[in-house]
Amino acid sequence: MRVVVTGGAGYVGGFAAERLLELGHEVTVFDNLWRGHAAGVPKGADFIEVDLRDAEGVMRAVRKAAPEAVMHFAAATLVGESMGHPRSYFGVNVVGTHNLIFAMVEAGCSKFVFSSTAAVYGVPERIPILEDDPKKPINPYGQSKWIVEQMLPWHAEAYGLNYACMRYFNVAGGASHRGEDHDPETHLVPILLEAAAGKRDEFTIFGEDYNTFDGTNIRDYVEVHDLVEAHVLALDKLDKPLGAFNLGTKTGFSVKQVLEAARNLTDQPIPARVGPRRAGDPPVLVADSTRARTELGWNPVRSDLETMLNGAWEWLQNNPNGYRK
Ligand code: UFG
């Protein structure tokens, strides 16, 4: 298939583009290189530099690439940042996605895999979370993704757009040649490993007074190759609208457990201190992903802490400056 991968110069989009190429698809990456890296676009993919907020540019790019399917990873994704810059989040994530699906409909492309997030649930009423549980986002990031999710069924009905919303829990991991390279870096796993590698003096635990077994936040970590596989499986089944899928493992780890695992793997002390809570952090986010397992046949075999940390550590050790050589 001809597949457009938006955000294919970024972390998850880069892994997805690479996997699609491996499977024999023709891939065109759309990216504005705001947070992505030209060097992250996998070899063999075509690349079009385009900002999704530029409706005409997106229309031209879609016409040129003539995709049969689109995987849409490009987004602004930082919860904390979204609190201070809601207009950027609605601009990139809502207006940008609207432009993209508008152009898809015009071009007769009917398969759409959308990167959504656990942040659509806000503070969940029960754990593990099921797809139909209430959506009450507590930050503009989660709200922006939920707005798009709500737009999609109407596009299915009116224009025959077949879509799948992939609700990511906490993605981590990497490979020797590909991994997370964010500026600023805010995610737990790369921050811990940068501390282990001596690139940071210490690690701060954001709050130890949560109502969890050790007082720190619990998250459901998914390994990036596993995450991408769910997209590939969804793509195969997109001859009808599929709805939403939680992508997690039903197993939560606390911040302190991930810290201990990182200390064990790297054999480094990783000095840690306890700081205040971070605004917008729910105490526990753990997914029930039965739907992805039964309906897509998804089996996240690599999503144990050791495999995830190992991949991320391999990336950092081989690329201490990320994609900058
Ligand atoms: N954490 C620390 N110290 C740090 C960094 C993170 O203690 O220096 C903690 C956070 O408080 C959180 C956990 O580590 O409990 C994971 O934090 P991340 O920043 O790695 O990830 P988030 O849980 O904030 O974000 C993820 C996804 C978002 C999604 C969000 C839902 O990256 O896309 O879950 O809340 F919106």
Side-chain angles (χ1 to χ4, degrees), residues 63 92 99 130 132 149 159 161-162 174 199 222 226 240 250-251 255 273 311:
R63 269 198 214 110
V92 174
N99 291 339
L130 276 161
D132 288 339
E149 284 208 26
Y159 311 116
L161 185 73
N162 296 329
K199 293 181 75 184
V222 195
D226 279 348
K240 58 176 193 301
K250 216 178 188 174
T251 310
V255 174
R273 68 176 196 93

Side-chain angles (χ1 to χ4, degrees), residues 117 119 141 170 186-188 203-204 206 217 219 278 281 285:
T117 171
Y141 169 57
N170 285 62
T186 62
H187 290 122
L188 178 64
F203 163 70
T204 304
F206 293 149
N217 280 337
R219 292 288 180 271
R278 183 172 67 177
D281 266 350
L285 283 175

